[in-house]
Amino acid sequence: MSVRVRFAPSPTGPLHMGGVRTALYNYLFAKKHGGQFLLRIEDTDQGRYVPGAEEYIKESLEWCGLVPDESPWSGGPDDPYRQSERKALYKAYADELIAKDKAYYAFDTPEELDAMRGRLQAAGVAAPAYNAVTREHMKNSLTLSADEVKERLARGDQFVVRLKVPRHEEVRFEDLIRGWVVVHSSNIDDKVLFKSDGMPTYHLANIVDDHLMRITHVIRGEEWLPSAPLHVLIYEAFGWERPAFAHLPLILRPDGNGKLSKRDGDRLGFPVFSLDWTDPVSGEKSSGYREKGYFPDAFINMLALLGWNPGGDVEIMDRKQMIAHFDLARVHKGGARFDPEKTKWFNQQYLRMRPDAELGAQLQSKLKQREIVASEERATAAVALLKERATFVDDMLEGAYLFVEGSPLKGNDAAIEELRKRWKPEAAPALEAYITALGALTEGKAPAFEVAFNRVLSDTGLKVGQVMPLYRLFVAGRMQGPGMFDVSALLGREEVIVRLNAGLDLCRSWA
């Protein structure tokens, strides 16, 4: 059978990066085995539905390049792919389990359920449950006569359908990541599968849909591991072959203590969502990796290694390499600690690999937003100087001085304050001599500027540290940045001379 996997999020809010990683691992596994990657929206719990969440899921996956082969938006042979639109088919499967004596009707009111839990707690039961023992004392089709059950259903009494968990059985299954899992049925309660409003619970809809959609592998987060034995029982109750299970490790906080949450991101200043999100009810805003300036491939590369080791020391991988190397056997059992600084490192590596022309076009666009005109040629040349020190394209905006004419000291209070600390009148003759030397240059590449500068130092007897900081402040308006001879070559000797003269005039005015 062809490999078929699914990512099945609920539209209850923005898609957490842990959810994106689950989608990614499903995608990589499917592509590795020449199979299909499906997306199904699990929206049976309409009370938790959040407007805009489904669209957010779609946009997030598209940004990450994780486009499903079948989905609510692209369709497929198993349409529809929203559980709310599949509502009509679930009742027949609930009825089938009842007919097989694998499930039963339960008519207990909320008050009666509360009373049951109270009695059990008073008797010292720490975790009261509706199970093989307690169901014998409740109002359900196992304790009521067939006629009374029929009457209750006929008059429209509220009910749920519960799974009839067998007594004294071991539930066993092999998890592809964690090995064999064994749970005794006494630790599994009779979960609700179907409600009288016609909606299934997650447990029934999930299994029915996975069966009908021919899902071969269920790859999901470890928060679903406690539910896996229940799902195994439901497959057995139907007599269906179950898919293989693989439960992924948690993504942990940077300190390793507990699951990574939105609060951690807010507190420590990094996103936990792929895209910006505004809560439609509270109006609370959360930042996303896309809007922070991350490349989607860098984000995906980082996520892939949060819990999976492809072997060796390779960290930078493109999509094809990830697919080729992906193996569930190399997914860790333990949680993966998230490192926001490492995430920035990944983006830095991907930025450096981008063609200068591509980055130049992005820088040109961002400068335009600041009303700074930059030619395509100048922007591309500037990127070559700036990108080695940048993590994001926005970081290269600090090189805006490369695109404006005149002194970068104008209105630059920080640079002027730094210049006041460093200015020494004895450096003036060297800078004046350098200006004269630049006027005689016949070649405008960086080495020519360097030769002229070093000759001036030799002639005046001054050291680099006495002149270079002033050169940098006069021409670039900042103490950090690319090499000044490269900057000068990009600006051109005429512009460099203008800026050096402006800096000297300013410093002389302080005398």
Side-chain angles (χ1 to χ4, degrees), residues 12-46:
T12 56
L15 187 60
H16 187 279
M17 61 193 290
V20 178
R21 188 193 62 173
T22 298
L24 172 62
Y25 284 8
N26 275 277
Y27 172 90
L28 295 177
F29 185 81
K31 301 309 173 186
K32 171 72 176 284
H33 296 282
Q36 291 83 46
F37 167 54
L38 286 65
L39 185 136
R40 185 175 69 230
I41 295 294
E42 301 203 333
D43 57 349
T44 54
D45 190 347
Q46 291 290 295

Short mmCIF file of all heavy atoms in Angstrom, two decimals, residues 12-46:
data_model
loop_
_atom_site.label_atom_id
_atom_site.label_comp_id
_atom_site.label_asym_id
_atom_site.label_seq_id
_atom_site.Cartn_x
_atom_site.Cartn_y
_atom_site.Cartn_z
N THR A 12 -8.39 26.27 16.02
CA THR A 12 -8.71 26.88 17.32
C THR A 12 -7.76 28.02 17.67
O THR A 12 -7.76 28.50 18.79
CB THR A 12 -8.65 25.81 18.43
OG1 THR A 12 -7.36 25.18 18.41
CG2 THR A 12 -9.72 24.74 18.20
N GLY A 13 -6.94 28.43 16.70
CA GLY A 13 -5.99 29.52 16.94
C GLY A 13 -4.84 29.42 15.97
O GLY A 13 -4.88 28.63 15.02
N PRO A 14 -3.78 30.20 16.18
CA PRO A 14 -2.64 30.17 15.26
C PRO A 14 -1.89 28.85 15.35
O PRO A 14 -1.94 28.16 16.36
CB PRO A 14 -1.78 31.33 15.74
CG PRO A 14 -2.12 31.47 17.19
CD PRO A 14 -3.57 31.14 17.31
N LEU A 15 -1.21 28.51 14.27
CA LEU A 15 -0.47 27.25 14.20
C LEU A 15 0.88 27.41 14.88
O LEU A 15 1.76 28.13 14.40
CB LEU A 15 -0.30 26.84 12.74
CG LEU A 15 0.31 25.46 12.47
CD1 LEU A 15 -0.55 24.36 13.09
CD2 LEU A 15 0.44 25.24 10.96
N HIS A 16 1.06 26.74 16.01
CA HIS A 16 2.31 26.76 16.78
C HIS A 16 3.42 26.10 15.96
O HIS A 16 3.16 25.23 15.12
CB HIS A 16 2.08 26.00 18.08
CG HIS A 16 3.20 26.05 19.07
ND1 HIS A 16 4.30 25.23 18.98
CD2 HIS A 16 3.39 26.82 20.16
CE1 HIS A 16 5.12 25.48 19.99
NE2 HIS A 16 4.59 26.44 20.73
N MET A 17 4.65 26.50 16.20
CA MET A 17 5.77 25.93 15.46
C MET A 17 5.88 24.42 15.67
O MET A 17 6.38 23.71 14.80
CB MET A 17 7.08 26.63 15.83
CG MET A 17 7.47 26.53 17.27
SD MET A 17 8.82 27.68 17.72
CE MET A 17 10.19 26.92 16.84
N GLY A 18 5.38 23.93 16.82
CA GLY A 18 5.35 22.48 17.02
C GLY A 18 4.42 21.81 16.03
O GLY A 18 4.70 20.71 15.54
N GLY A 19 3.30 22.48 15.72
CA GLY A 19 2.39 21.95 14.70
C GLY A 19 3.02 21.97 13.32
O GLY A 19 2.84 21.03 12.53
N VAL A 20 3.76 23.03 13.03
CA VAL A 20 4.45 23.10 11.73
C VAL A 20 5.46 21.97 11.63
O VAL A 20 5.61 21.33 10.58
CB VAL A 20 5.14 24.46 11.55
CG1 VAL A 20 5.88 24.49 10.22
CG2 VAL A 20 4.13 25.60 11.60
N ARG A 21 6.17 21.68 12.73
CA ARG A 21 7.14 20.58 12.70
C ARG A 21 6.44 19.25 12.44
O ARG A 21 6.94 18.39 11.70
CB ARG A 21 7.94 20.51 14.00
CG ARG A 21 9.09 19.52 13.91
CD ARG A 21 9.68 19.20 15.26
NE ARG A 21 8.71 18.59 16.15
CZ ARG A 21 9.01 18.09 17.35
NH1 ARG A 21 10.24 18.16 17.80
NH2 ARG A 21 8.08 17.57 18.11
N THR A 22 5.27 19.04 13.06
CA THR A 22 4.51 17.81 12.81
C THR A 22 4.15 17.71 11.34
O THR A 22 4.29 16.64 10.72
CB THR A 22 3.24 17.78 13.67
OG1 THR A 22 3.61 17.79 15.05
CG2 THR A 22 2.41 16.54 13.39
N ALA A 23 3.69 18.81 10.75
CA ALA A 23 3.37 18.82 9.32
C ALA A 23 4.62 18.52 8.50
O ALA A 23 4.57 17.76 7.52
CB ALA A 23 2.78 20.17 8.93
N LEU A 24 5.75 19.11 8.89
CA LEU A 24 7.00 18.91 8.17
C LEU A 24 7.42 17.44 8.19
O LEU A 24 7.79 16.87 7.14
CB LEU A 24 8.10 19.77 8.80
CG LEU A 24 9.52 19.54 8.29
CD1 LEU A 24 9.63 19.86 6.81
CD2 LEU A 24 10.52 20.37 9.09
N TYR A 25 7.38 16.81 9.35
CA TYR A 25 7.80 15.40 9.43
C TYR A 25 6.87 14.51 8.62
O TYR A 25 7.32 13.54 7.99
CB TYR A 25 7.84 14.95 10.89
CG TYR A 25 9.04 15.45 11.67
CD1 TYR A 25 9.92 16.38 11.13
CD2 TYR A 25 9.30 15.00 12.97
CE1 TYR A 25 11.02 16.83 11.85
CE2 TYR A 25 10.40 15.45 13.69
CZ TYR A 25 11.25 16.37 13.12
OH TYR A 25 12.35 16.82 13.83
N ASN A 26 5.57 14.81 8.63
CA ASN A 26 4.65 14.06 7.78
C ASN A 26 5.00 14.24 6.30
O ASN A 26 5.01 13.29 5.53
CB ASN A 26 3.21 14.50 8.05
CG ASN A 26 2.57 13.78 9.23
OD1 ASN A 26 2.07 12.67 9.09
ND2 ASN A 26 2.60 14.42 10.39
N TYR A 27 5.26 15.48 5.94
CA TYR A 27 5.60 15.81 4.55
C TYR A 27 6.88 15.08 4.13
O TYR A 27 6.94 14.44 3.07
CB TYR A 27 5.78 17.32 4.45
CG TYR A 27 6.32 17.82 3.13
CD1 TYR A 27 5.46 18.17 2.08
CD2 TYR A 27 7.70 17.97 2.93
CE1 TYR A 27 5.97 18.64 0.87
CE2 TYR A 27 8.20 18.43 1.73
CZ TYR A 27 7.33 18.77 0.70
OH TYR A 27 7.83 19.23 -0.48
N LEU A 28 7.94 15.16 4.95
CA LEU A 28 9.21 14.52 4.61
C LEU A 28 9.06 13.01 4.49
O LEU A 28 9.62 12.38 3.58
CB LEU A 28 10.27 14.86 5.67
CG LEU A 28 10.69 16.33 5.78
CD1 LEU A 28 11.68 16.51 6.92
CD2 LEU A 28 11.28 16.85 4.48
N PHE A 29 8.29 12.41 5.40
CA PHE A 29 8.09 10.96 5.38
C PHE A 29 7.36 10.54 4.11
O PHE A 29 7.72 9.57 3.45
CB PHE A 29 7.31 10.52 6.62
CG PHE A 29 7.16 9.03 6.76
CD1 PHE A 29 8.19 8.27 7.29
CD2 PHE A 29 6.01 8.39 6.35
CE1 PHE A 29 8.07 6.89 7.42
CE2 PHE A 29 5.87 7.01 6.48
CZ PHE A 29 6.90 6.26 7.01
N ALA A 30 6.31 11.30 3.76
CA ALA A 30 5.54 10.98 2.56
C ALA A 30 6.42 11.07 1.31
O ALA A 30 6.42 10.18 0.45
CB ALA A 30 4.34 11.90 2.44
N LYS A 31 7.17 12.17 1.19
CA LYS A 31 7.99 12.36 0.00
C LYS A 31 9.12 11.35 -0.06
O LYS A 31 9.51 10.89 -1.15
CB LYS A 31 8.54 13.79 -0.04
CG LYS A 31 7.46 14.87 -0.05
CD LYS A 31 6.42 14.63 -1.13
CE LYS A 31 5.27 15.61 -1.05
NZ LYS A 31 4.19 15.30 -2.01
N LYS A 32 9.68 10.99 1.09
CA LYS A 32 10.76 10.00 1.14
C LYS A 32 10.27 8.66 0.55
O LYS A 32 11.02 7.96 -0.14
CB LYS A 32 11.21 9.80 2.58
CG LYS A 32 12.17 8.64 2.83
CD LYS A 32 13.55 8.95 2.29
CE LYS A 32 14.55 7.84 2.60
NZ LYS A 32 14.99 7.88 4.01
N HIS A 33 9.01 8.32 0.81
CA HIS A 33 8.48 7.01 0.40
C HIS A 33 7.58 7.11 -0.83
O HIS A 33 6.87 6.13 -1.14
CB HIS A 33 7.74 6.37 1.57
CG HIS A 33 8.63 6.06 2.74
ND1 HIS A 33 9.47 4.96 2.77
CD2 HIS A 33 8.87 6.73 3.90
CE1 HIS A 33 10.15 4.96 3.90
NE2 HIS A 33 9.80 6.01 4.61
N GLY A 34 7.61 8.25 -1.50
CA GLY A 34 6.81 8.39 -2.71
C GLY A 34 5.31 8.34 -2.46
O GLY A 34 4.54 7.89 -3.31
N GLY A 35 4.90 8.79 -1.27
CA GLY A 35 3.49 8.73 -0.89
C GLY A 35 2.79 10.07 -0.97
O GLY A 35 3.25 11.01 -1.61
N GLN A 36 1.65 10.16 -0.28
CA GLN A 36 0.83 11.38 -0.29
C GLN A 36 0.76 11.99 1.10
O GLN A 36 0.69 11.28 2.11
CB GLN A 36 -0.60 11.08 -0.78
CG GLN A 36 -0.71 10.70 -2.24
CD GLN A 36 -0.40 9.25 -2.48
OE1 GLN A 36 -0.89 8.37 -1.76
NE2 GLN A 36 0.42 8.96 -3.47
N PHE A 37 0.75 13.32 1.10
CA PHE A 37 0.65 14.11 2.32
C PHE A 37 -0.70 14.82 2.28
O PHE A 37 -0.96 15.64 1.41
CB PHE A 37 1.81 15.11 2.37
CG PHE A 37 1.68 16.20 3.41
CD1 PHE A 37 1.45 15.90 4.75
CD2 PHE A 37 1.78 17.53 3.04
CE1 PHE A 37 1.34 16.91 5.69
CE2 PHE A 37 1.68 18.55 3.97
CZ PHE A 37 1.46 18.24 5.31
N LEU A 38 -1.58 14.47 3.23
CA LEU A 38 -2.93 15.02 3.28
C LEU A 38 -3.05 16.04 4.40
O LEU A 38 -2.34 15.94 5.41
CB LEU A 38 -3.97 13.93 3.53
CG LEU A 38 -4.35 12.95 2.42
CD1 LEU A 38 -3.16 12.07 2.02
CD2 LEU A 38 -5.53 12.08 2.85
N LEU A 39 -3.95 16.97 4.23
CA LEU A 39 -4.31 17.87 5.33
C LEU A 39 -5.81 17.78 5.55
O LEU A 39 -6.60 17.89 4.61
CB LEU A 39 -3.92 19.32 5.04
CG LEU A 39 -4.19 20.24 6.25
CD1 LEU A 39 -3.03 21.17 6.50
CD2 LEU A 39 -5.48 21.03 6.07
N ARG A 40 -6.18 17.56 6.82
CA ARG A 40 -7.59 17.45 7.20
C ARG A 40 -7.86 18.42 8.33
O ARG A 40 -7.11 18.46 9.31
CB ARG A 40 -7.90 16.01 7.63
CG ARG A 40 -9.37 15.77 7.92
CD ARG A 40 -9.62 14.30 8.21
NE ARG A 40 -9.05 13.85 9.47
CZ ARG A 40 -8.27 12.76 9.60
NH1 ARG A 40 -7.96 12.02 8.56
NH2 ARG A 40 -7.80 12.42 10.80
N ILE A 41 -8.90 19.22 8.22
CA ILE A 41 -9.27 20.15 9.27
C ILE A 41 -10.22 19.44 10.24
O ILE A 41 -11.31 19.01 9.86
CB ILE A 41 -9.95 21.41 8.70
CG1 ILE A 41 -8.96 22.19 7.83
CG2 ILE A 41 -10.50 22.28 9.81
CD1 ILE A 41 -7.80 22.80 8.58
N GLU A 42 -9.79 19.31 11.50
CA GLU A 42 -10.59 18.61 12.51
C GLU A 42 -11.33 19.64 13.35
O GLU A 42 -10.83 20.13 14.36
CB GLU A 42 -9.69 17.69 13.34
CG GLU A 42 -8.99 16.67 12.44
CD GLU A 42 -8.54 15.42 13.15
OE1 GLU A 42 -8.28 15.49 14.37
OE2 GLU A 42 -8.43 14.37 12.49
N ASP A 43 -12.53 19.96 12.89
CA ASP A 43 -13.32 21.04 13.49
C ASP A 43 -14.64 20.54 14.08
O ASP A 43 -15.65 21.23 14.03
CB ASP A 43 -13.60 22.13 12.45
CG ASP A 43 -14.31 21.59 11.21
OD1 ASP A 43 -14.42 20.35 11.06
OD2 ASP A 43 -14.77 22.41 10.40
N THR A 44 -14.59 19.33 14.67
CA THR A 44 -15.81 18.81 15.28
C THR A 44 -16.21 19.60 16.53
O THR A 44 -17.38 19.67 16.89
CB THR A 44 -15.65 17.32 15.65
OG1 THR A 44 -14.49 17.17 16.48
CG2 THR A 44 -15.49 16.48 14.40
N ASP A 45 -15.21 20.18 17.22
CA ASP A 45 -15.50 20.97 18.41
C ASP A 45 -15.76 22.42 17.98
O ASP A 45 -14.89 23.29 18.03
CB ASP A 45 -14.32 20.91 19.39
CG ASP A 45 -14.65 21.52 20.75
OD1 ASP A 45 -15.70 22.19 20.84
OD2 ASP A 45 -13.87 21.33 21.69
N GLN A 46 -17.01 22.67 17.58
CA GLN A 46 -17.36 23.98 17.04
C GLN A 46 -17.29 25.08 18.09
O GLN A 46 -17.14 26.25 17.77
CB GLN A 46 -18.76 23.93 16.43
CG GLN A 46 -18.84 23.10 15.16
CD GLN A 46 -18.13 23.75 13.99
OE1 GLN A 46 -18.54 24.82 13.54
NE2 GLN A 46 -17.07 23.13 13.50
#
